[in-house]
């Protein structure tokens, strides 16, 4: 029954994200980010130990809060899932970026890019902005959509809130800038672990959902298996490669962040992505999230049927 209640809460949270998107004011993730920044002023040292302490304090506090709110409460799981999902806002921002690029409004597109990723927008032309946005939509399909659904289904409010805390800390301090190279190490590694299974589940769903956008399941699987391991991220490479193969485009290459230039490997073997491909990526991303929600629902039904059968068998044996 607990699993069924959790699944109901997860699906209710998913429906809330579709209908309401993110909370308009006082978003809990934003409040957490401000709290993390305030704590950093006390905990920061240029060391991995200090970074691990910083992450441990924040994730531990959020996990405890989730446990107090209620592991088995349908309402708590629904609310936590809603605030931790970002599917609707991701799709809206991706489509807004496509509209700006279609109008050749590169300046506005550069101002919008920080809403999607941490790259330096001033170094990017229209083609670079298109690729950056598409890669961000792909990566965040796992980070902001599939992973929260799976963590909420696995452990309710405490699990999904903990996941969102880890992922937020990774985006804040998990990059390889001089300040965070050591202090952010624990956040980056913990995020790698937290997203490992979800990234591969996302890539599998990309393979299955590719025909929704006229894409190639075989191409998605081929690019995933061939190219993902060469990416510096053990998770982002999996999802971006699957998207590249599904859409028939080529991702990767020089990637400029504010603190460094990374030369990323090529993912996929198609043409450079166009704005139309960014729109297709948004549609594919939403299809993958819907498929993930259906997986959660089906797993709950299968689990309930199995438990019911085991209970009947136990009662039958007890009667004898």
């Amino acid at each position: 029954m607990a699993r069924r209640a959790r699944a109901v809460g997860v699906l209710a949270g998913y429906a809330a994200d579709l209908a309401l998107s993110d909370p308009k004011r006082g978003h809990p993730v934003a409040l957490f980010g401000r709290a993390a920044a305030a704590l950093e002023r006390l905990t920061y040292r240029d060391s991995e130990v200090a970074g691990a302490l910083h992450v441990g304090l924040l994730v531990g506090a959020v996990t405890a809060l989730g446990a107090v709110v209620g592991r088995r409460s349908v309402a708590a799981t629904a609310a936590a899932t809603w605030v931790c999902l970002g599917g609707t806002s991701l799709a809206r921002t991706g489509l807004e970026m496509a509209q700006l690029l279609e109008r050749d409004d590169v300046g506005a597109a550069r101002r919008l890019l920080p809403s999607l990723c941490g790259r330096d927008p001033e170094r990017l032309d229209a083609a670079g902005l298109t690729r950056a946005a598409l890669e961000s939509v792909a990566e965040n399909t796992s980070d902001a959509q599939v992973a929260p659904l799976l963590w909420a289904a696995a452990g309710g409010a405490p699990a999904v809130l903990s996941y969102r805390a880890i992922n937020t800390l990774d985006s804040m301090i998990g990059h390889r800038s001089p300040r965070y190279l050591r202090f952010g190490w624990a956040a980056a590694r913990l995020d790698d672990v937290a997203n490992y299974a979800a990234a591969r589940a996302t890539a599998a769903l990309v393979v299955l959902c590719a025909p929704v956008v006229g894409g190639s399941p075989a191409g998605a699987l081929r690019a995933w298996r061939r190219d993902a391991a060469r990416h510096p991220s053990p998770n982002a490479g999996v999802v971006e490669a699957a998207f590249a193969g599904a859409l028939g485009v080529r991702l990767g290459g020089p990637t400029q962040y504010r603190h460094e230039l990374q030369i990323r490997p090529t993912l996929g073997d198609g043409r450079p992505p166009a704005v139309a491909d960014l729109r297709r990526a948004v549609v594919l991303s939403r299809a993958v999230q819907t498929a993930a929600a259906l997986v959660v629902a089906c797993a709950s039904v299968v689990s309930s049927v199995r438990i019911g059968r085991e209970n009947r068998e136990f009662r039958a044996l007890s009667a004898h």
Side-chain angles (χ1 to χ4, degrees):
M1 185 62 69
R3 291 183 182 179
R4 184 185 302 174
R6 258 201 320 268
V8 170
V10 172
L11 295 175
Y14 168 65
D17 179 64
L18 289 178
L20 305 173
S21 187
D22 291 327
K24 300 300 182 184
R25 296 181 181 178
H27 196 301
V29 175
L31 295 176
F32 172 81
R34 288 198 285 272
L39 181 64
E40 185 182 328
R41 291 195 286 270
L42 301 175
T43 58
Y44 180 80
R45 304 289 187 279
D46 188 18
S47 78
E48 293 179 358
V49 173
L53 175 64
H54 178 75
V55 171
L57 287 172
L58 288 163
V59 175
V62 169
T63 304
L65 174 63
V68 170
V69 169
R71 177 188 293 271
R72 297 187 178 185
S73 166
V74 173
T77 300
T81 302
W82 172 42
V83 301
C84 292
L85 282 171
T88 299
S89 60
L90 175 66
R92 183 182 298 123
T93 305
L95 291 177
E96 184 179 352
M97 177 67 77
Q99 291 169 358
L100 293 172
L101 292 170
E102 285 170 344
R103 297 201 301 263
D104 292 324
D105 194 344
V106 173
R110 285 172 175 160
R111 291 191 293 273
L112 180 62
L113 188 66
S115 299
L116 286 170
C117 62
R119 300 183 194 184
D120 185 355
E122 299 306 318
R123 307 281 188 95
L124 299 176
D125 58 10
L129 290 165
T130 300
R131 176 169 74 84
L134 199 157
E135 289 174 353
S136 180
V137 166
E139 181 177 0
N140 281 293
T141 299
S142 176
D143 289 5
Q145 300 183 60
V146 175
L149 289 171
L150 297 184
W151 277 106
V160 72
L161 291 174
S162 299
Y163 166 75
R164 179 48 67 200
I166 292 167
N167 190 244
T168 302
L169 288 170
D170 177 59
S171 68
M172 294 178 69
I173 66 173
H175 43 82
R176 298 179 62 83
S177 66
R179 176 177 173 85
Y180 293 123
L181 184 61
R182 283 178 284 274
F183 185 75
W185 178 87
R189 297 291 79 76
L190 190 56
D191 184 72
D192 287 344
V193 173
N195 275 299
Y196 188 88
R200 284 143 186 86
T202 302
L205 292 174
V206 169
V207 172
L208 293 175
C209 295
V212 171
V213 293
S216 168
L221 184 60
R222 181 171 59 251
W224 171 11
R225 297 179 63 181
R226 183 190 63 203
D227 301 334
R230 296 187 287 120
H231 195 281
S233 167
N235 299 325
V238 169
V239 183
E240 290 178 21
F243 263 77
L247 298 172
V249 300
R250 183 174 69 252
L251 301 177
T255 303
Q256 181 67 56
Y257 292 93
R258 295 188 185 279
H259 56 278
E260 68 174 344
L261 173 66
Q262 294 184 4
I263 305 300
R264 297 278 181 85
T266 299
L267 306 174
D269 49 15
R271 52 184 167 70
V275 177
D277 298 309
L278 175 56
R279 288 187 174 276
R280 294 170 66 216
V282 171
V283 175
L284 179 57
S285 176
R286 297 312 300 265
V288 167
Q289 186 183 14
T290 300
L294 290 174
V295 167
V296 170
C298 292
S300 173
V301 171
V302 170
S303 177
S304 296
V305 170
R306 179 179 59 81
I307 292 172
R309 184 174 63 248
E310 290 174 353
N311 288 339
R312 288 192 298 273
E313 291 173 353
F314 177 77
R315 287 194 296 268
L317 290 172
S318 299
H320 292 290

